[in-house]
Amino acid sequence: MWRRLIRHRYLLMLLPAIGLYTLFIVYPFGVSMFYSLTDWSGVGAYHFIGFTNYSKILFTQPFQGIFLNALGHNFFYFLMSTVTSVIFGMFVAIVLENTKFSKIYRIIYFLPIVMAIIAVGFLWNLLLNPNWGVINQFLNAIGLSTLALPWLGSMKLALPIIILVDSWRSAGFSIVVFSAALSYIPRELIEAAHMDGAKRFDVITKITLPLLLPTFFTVMTLNFIWSFGVFDIIMALESIGGGPYYSTDTLALFFYRSSFGYTGHSSMGFGFGASIATLTFFVILIVTLVLLMVRRRIESRLF
Amino acid sequence: MKVSKGILLLVSIIIMMIAFTSFGKVTLSFWVWGPGDLASKAVAYYNKTSTTTVVKVRGIVSTSYDAALQTAMQGGEGPDLMLARPNPVTAEYAKAGMFLRVDNLISRIKDFPKVLVDSVSYRGKLYAVPSAIQTLQIYYNKDIFEEYNLKVPHTWAELMNIAKTLKSHGITPFFATGKEGWALNIIPEVIGATYLGPNYIKELIDGKKSFTDSRFVGLLKLINSLKPYFQKNFMASSYADQARAFAFGKVAMVFDGAWMPIYYLQNNPNLKMGVFPCPPFKEGNKSYIYIYSDGGIAVNAHSKHVKEAVDFLKWFSSVKGNEIWSKTLGIIPSNPKVKVDPKSEPYVYMMKELLDNYALPYTFDYGSPFDAGKPSITSILIPGLQGMLDGQITPEQLAQQIQKGVQQWYKPFQK
């Protein structure tokens, strides 16, 4: 018996980590799924009500509309931020690759991530203020007052603006990661390509980008997780309501608003909120599996 | 040896006595929404006079207050005293046994108005001492009005003329907080109090009328008609922007509540303000203002110092304590026996006058019977107003959304 234990002692070493994981992730998750089947308000007693919460969210108005609207915004957030943060970061990293002072630029681009997100939200709220913010004042001063729009108050512009502010902050992460990945591309490959007469553009498209693909998928997956859980930047810029008129609403905001309430909204209860959280989990699970399948297909074709 | 032993004993007795007296005072935690600076000032008066208790105020941002309090109370870490939102929130805590029943402990409760007492009661028993009654009205900048020879309007047509005159001179007539829905919701409450009137509202509450009637839709259309008189880019303005704009004379009139003047004056002590209710639409009809209970102060039933907490509430409900609280916070006192002095508190006096003369006996928006279920009227109207003012939905569509949402649970609509 002892021999078995010593041979599989790695399992014993895993126990603390498994213990912590179970206590802080698996257990709350299980409890949350349990509460989603009750009518718990968050305070006091609860009663088991089966799948009532789920059917309310998925099949009755106004919740179905709000849920699908928020889900759509999460997808939009993911797609747009992939372009403005991940792809943009990759592009900047390639441009910076052999530039002078590239290290200093990378530090400057990375700095916003160190800022607390609430501070970022507060700062950009001031900059984007429709009448007194620096951006609109500048546009008015140079004669472009038709472009001095109510940025965070326009239903069409609010979410893209929030994504751009978030990209301002998170592009630095992509830049640093892609710069590191670029440094792993062997110089000999590029020199060989030059000797064969390849132009810079061909080097980038035929060598650099394919070799960056694994990194791209990794960063995109991280971006996906972030986009589907995004909460704090929107709360800082627009408040929990996901306004104006739900145009910046996301699943996490819907969850928080339903669980805790909000000025002028009473809460729907923790049971209801837990069911939103569980639905979000399943959405993320399905999309992640799809992404993994796509990644495997593309990588098997290239390598 | 004996002498030093004696000195040691004496010193330790003195230390214990000092320790005993400084630990003798009980510290109560008191959570409030808002910055808490004024509440701290008010509570300091109680701390000075009390030999047993020190009350410490903690202010939490109003939009996060409910979440923070709920998390703390559920986790058993709640404060001894706290501001409680009016029903249905207080009822939830009372049902869960988290608030202490107080009507059997505080006799002065019989002086408080029924509408306030009901808003923090559950099944006929009281669970918080009402702390504020809020009124919603139009504030105007007296200097701007004087400069353009404008007088307080007695009809809606006069108000629109004032707005047109101001606009023609390049002054922003009204402010709208497009980005902050709860504050935007003050506009239908202020205008609706007069435009809908108590008779229509009572019929609405009884289910004899519905939100899709031309009367309620008319209210929404009226709000749309004010768009040309709002500030530029109003859809992105916040409540803080409104406070700054009004305090510094950048806007002539705002729709705001009784809690605000003290903050306007903090920003600009030279500001001269006046108030008026939404004027009637026909000359000679009555004006009304929207009033609602802003909750009360509750005692945590699981507090370790229930007796001291109840003592604080007894002070708070007395005329002296209530006066100190309302004077420091610059709000209308919840105990009607407290007198408001027109000289030292001109703005509170103005608002108390409005309260005494124009109070709407019913509510139809925040704090109304339509706000008690899910989805509540405020959860539909607040984002809906933003959508309507942005041109995404029509007033008719918004009214339909409200009716369909509230009808799902509001029994009088289900006949």
Side-chain angles (χ1 to χ4, degrees):
Chain A
M1 213 278 288
W2 270 121
R3 278 238 190 96
R4 269 237 184 106
L5 210 61
I6 292 173
R7 221 173 349 153
H8 298 291
R9 62 187 178 278
Y10 62 91
L11 282 174
L12 270 178
M13 304 217 192
L14 283 176
L15 264 172
I18 293 177
L20 282 174
Y21 184 78
T22 310
L23 183 63
F24 289 110
I25 301 199
V26 177
Y27 172 68
F29 184 68
V31 169
S32 170
M33 287 224 268
F34 171 73
Y35 279 131
S36 71
L37 302 172
T38 69
D39 66 353
W40 193 40
S41 71
V43 172
Y46 57 85
H47 309 101
F48 193 75
I49 56 171
F51 288 100
T52 313
N53 285 329
Y54 291 97
S55 68
K56 245 194 183 159
I57 297 171
L58 293 173
F59 302 122
T60 66
Q61 297 293 0
F63 306 112
Q64 182 195 58
I66 299 175
F67 177 74
L68 294 175
N69 178 51
L71 182 61
H73 287 156
N74 280 103
F75 268 112
F76 177 74
Y77 203 103
F78 169 55
L79 292 171
M80 183 169 164
S81 61
T82 300
V83 172
T84 57
S85 178
V86 180
I87 296 181
F88 176 73
M90 186 165 71
F91 175 71
V92 171
I94 294 175
V95 164
L96 273 183
E97 197 187 348
N98 290 317
T99 320
K100 243 183 166 184
F101 305 127
S102 62
K103 281 219 181 88
I104 298 177
Y105 282 120
R106 263 184 262 150
I107 295 175
I108 295 175
Y109 291 138
F110 192 77
L111 271 179
I113 297 188
V114 180
M115 281 176 76
I117 244 183
I118 295 292
V120 170
F122 182 70
L123 177 75
W124 279 94
N125 239 323
L126 292 177
L127 290 174
L128 291 166
N129 190 294
N131 296 318
W132 304 309
V134 170
I135 293 177
N136 278 7
Q137 293 224 38
F138 173 71
L139 289 171
N140 283 327
I142 61 170
L144 284 174
S145 27
T146 43
L147 284 179
L149 300 164
W151 304 106
L152 293 170
S154 151
M155 285 180 59
K156 290 198 205 73
L157 294 175
L159 190 57
I161 293 283
I162 292 176
I163 298 173
L164 284 175
V165 171
D166 197 10
S167 301
W168 169 84
R169 186 175 176 273
S170 60
F173 177 74
S174 304
I175 293 171
V176 166
V177 170
F178 280 114
S179 294
L182 280 169
S183 67
Y184 274 106
I185 295 179
R187 292 241 60 186
E188 299 84 56
L189 274 180
I190 308 204
E191 280 165 15
H194 280 312
M195 284 205 287
D196 285 338
K199 283 181 251 117
R200 179 116 195 254
F201 181 74
D202 286 325
V203 171
I204 293 176
T205 48
K206 297 220 169 64
I207 300 181
T208 316
L209 286 182
L211 286 175
L212 281 181
L213 210 58
T215 316
F216 176 77
F217 270 114
T218 308
V219 179
M220 197 172 80
T221 308
L222 287 171
N223 185 38
F224 168 74
I225 295 172
W226 169 252
S227 304
F228 270 78
V230 69
F231 172 76
D232 24 22
I233 187 73
I234 304 185
M235 179 180 154
L237 286 172
E238 280 288 351
S239 85
I240 306 165
Y245 196 47
Y246 298 119
S247 55
T248 60
D249 200 15
T250 59
L251 291 170
L253 249 71
F254 180 35
F255 156 72
Y256 186 94
R257 198 167 66 229
S258 303
S259 304
F260 292 102
Y262 164 51
T263 319
H265 273 237
S266 42
S267 87
M268 294 291 303
F270 273 26
F272 189 83
S275 43
I276 298 174
T278 311
L279 283 172
T280 308
F281 166 74
F282 282 114
V283 168
I284 297 179
L285 184 67
I286 294 171
V287 181
T288 307
L289 290 173
V290 169
L291 269 181
L292 276 175
M293 271 185 356
V294 169
R295 172 183 184 160
R296 251 182 227 142
R297 286 256 174 84
I298 294 185
E299 282 188 349
S300 68
R301 268 206 277 156
L302 278 175
F303 299 116
Chain B
M1 234 28 227
K2 281 220 174 103
V3 177
S4 51
K5 260 203 191 152
I7 291 176
L8 204 63
L9 192 60
L10 193 65
V11 167
S12 45
I13 289 177
I14 293 175
I15 289 177
M16 278 202 290
M17 279 174 64
I18 295 174
F20 184 79
T21 48
S22 61
F23 280 117
K25 275 204 172 186
V26 165
T27 307
L28 295 178
S29 50
F30 181 12
W31 286 12
V32 302
W33 58 72
D37 50 349
L38 299 172
S40 297
K41 260 171 83 178
V43 155
Y45 287 98
Y46 180 75
N47 291 340
K48 261 195 287 208
T49 58
S50 167
T51 50
T52 57
T53 321
V54 174
V55 178
K56 277 187 89 169
V57 170
R58 177 184 170 194
I60 300 177
V61 174
S62 185
T63 42
S64 312
Y65 180 83
D66 305 286
L69 183 67
Q70 187 176 328
T71 313
M73 292 293 272
Q74 189 64 21
E77 299 284 322
D80 303 295
L81 291 158
M82 67 215 94
L83 280 185
R85 299 273 191 202
N87 286 341
V89 177
T90 295
E92 285 284 349
Y93 283 107
K95 201 157 78 158
M98 291 185 171
F99 280 177
L100 185 75
R101 183 185 164 200
V102 291
D103 50 325
N104 49 348
L105 302 169
I106 299 177
S107 53
R108 290 194 196 90
I109 258 331
K110 55 181 165 44
D111 297 333
F112 284 67
K114 184 171 184 307
V115 64
L116 295 188
V117 168
D118 284 347
S119 72
V120 283
S121 295
Y122 173 64
R123 295 217 173 132
K125 303 193 179 59
L126 187 73
Y127 288 91
V129 176
S131 57
I133 184 160
Q134 297 295 0
T135 64
L136 302 175
Q137 54 270 313
I138 300 176
Y139 291 86
Y140 69 96
N141 185 316
K142 279 193 165 154
D143 291 327
I144 295 181
F145 267 45
E146 221 182 275
E147 193 179 334
Y148 296 99
N149 246 322
L150 301 168
K151 301 262 177 331
V152 171
H154 294 283
T155 63
W156 181 260
E158 280 177 30
L159 180 60
M160 288 297 101
N161 278 334
I162 292 175
K164 284 196 193 81
T165 312
L166 288 167
K167 189 160 180 206
S168 66
H169 289 283
I171 310 278
T172 310
F174 295 110
F175 201 93
T177 61
K179 194 152 88 79
E180 250 178 276
W182 68 268
L184 194 63
N185 194 26
I186 295 178
I187 300 182
E189 287 165 340
V190 170
I191 301 180
T194 300
Y195 183 76
L196 298 175
N199 297 330
Y200 180 80
I201 296 172
K202 181 87 184 28
E203 295 196 296
L204 195 61
I205 292 175
D206 290 340
K208 298 202 186 91
K209 291 274 193 305
S210 72
F211 288 102
T212 46
D213 293 338
S214 54
R215 188 73 164 269
F216 191 82
V217 175
L219 172 64
L220 299 175
K221 286 189 173 148
L222 257 185
I223 298 173
N224 254 351
S225 75
L226 289 177
K227 277 205 299 209
Y229 303 113
F230 290 147
Q231 78 279 15
K232 182 168 187 262
N233 288 336
F234 70 90
M235 281 304 294
S237 298
S238 68
Y239 188 63
D241 292 340
Q242 173 168 297
R244 272 191 292 266
F246 187 66
F248 295 111
K250 298 254 187 289
V251 62
M253 296 178 275
V254 289
F255 299 89
D256 218 331
W259 62 86
M260 238 2 228
I262 195 161
Y263 291 108
Y264 287 136
L265 292 172
Q266 270 182 4
N267 272 328
N268 179 6
N270 298 325
L271 179 68
K272 290 207 210 60
M273 302 178 266
V275 292
F276 58 87
C278 175
F281 294 76
K282 251 167 68 182
E283 176 90 52
N285 280 356
K286 269 209 84 179
S287 279
Y288 289 97
I289 57 166
Y290 197 95
I291 69 169
Y292 61 93
S293 159
D294 211 9
I297 303 181
V299 173
N300 188 341
H302 303 294
S303 160
K304 294 195 188 66
H305 309 290
V306 166
K307 181 180 176 303
E308 286 82 2
V310 172
D311 284 342
F312 176 79
L313 276 194
K314 285 191 178 144
W315 173 84
F316 175 80
S317 55
S318 70
V319 172
K320 191 86 190 76
N322 205 275
E323 183 177 358
I324 291 175
W325 176 267
S326 47
K327 255 203 160 123
T328 315
L329 268 71
I331 57 175
I332 302 171
S334 53
N335 185 335
K337 285 195 166 162
V338 174
K339 298 261 180 294
V340 178
D341 177 27
K343 284 211 186 59
S344 60
E345 308 177 82
Y347 294 107
V348 181
Y349 187 77
M350 251 195 267
M351 290 183 295
K352 185 133 201 303
E353 287 237 301
L354 281 188
L355 173 68
D356 293 335
N357 295 317
Y358 299 103
L360 188 67
Y362 308 108
T363 52
F364 62 90
D365 198 336
Y366 177 71
S368 71
F370 306 113
D371 215 19
K374 308 183 222 278
S376 61
I377 184 173
T378 48
S379 69
I380 303 173
L381 185 54
I382 286 178
L385 274 174
Q386 291 174 321
M388 187 183 80
L389 289 171
D390 196 87
Q392 294 295 319
I393 51 172
T394 65
E396 289 83 0
Q397 285 171 320
L398 177 55
Q400 259 169 31
Q401 279 181 14
I402 299 173
Q403 184 66 25
K404 267 172 72 175
V406 173
Q407 204 169 274
Q408 286 174 32
W409 56 270
Y410 191 68
K411 300 236 165 18
F413 280 166
Q414 288 167 356
K415 287 186 274 185

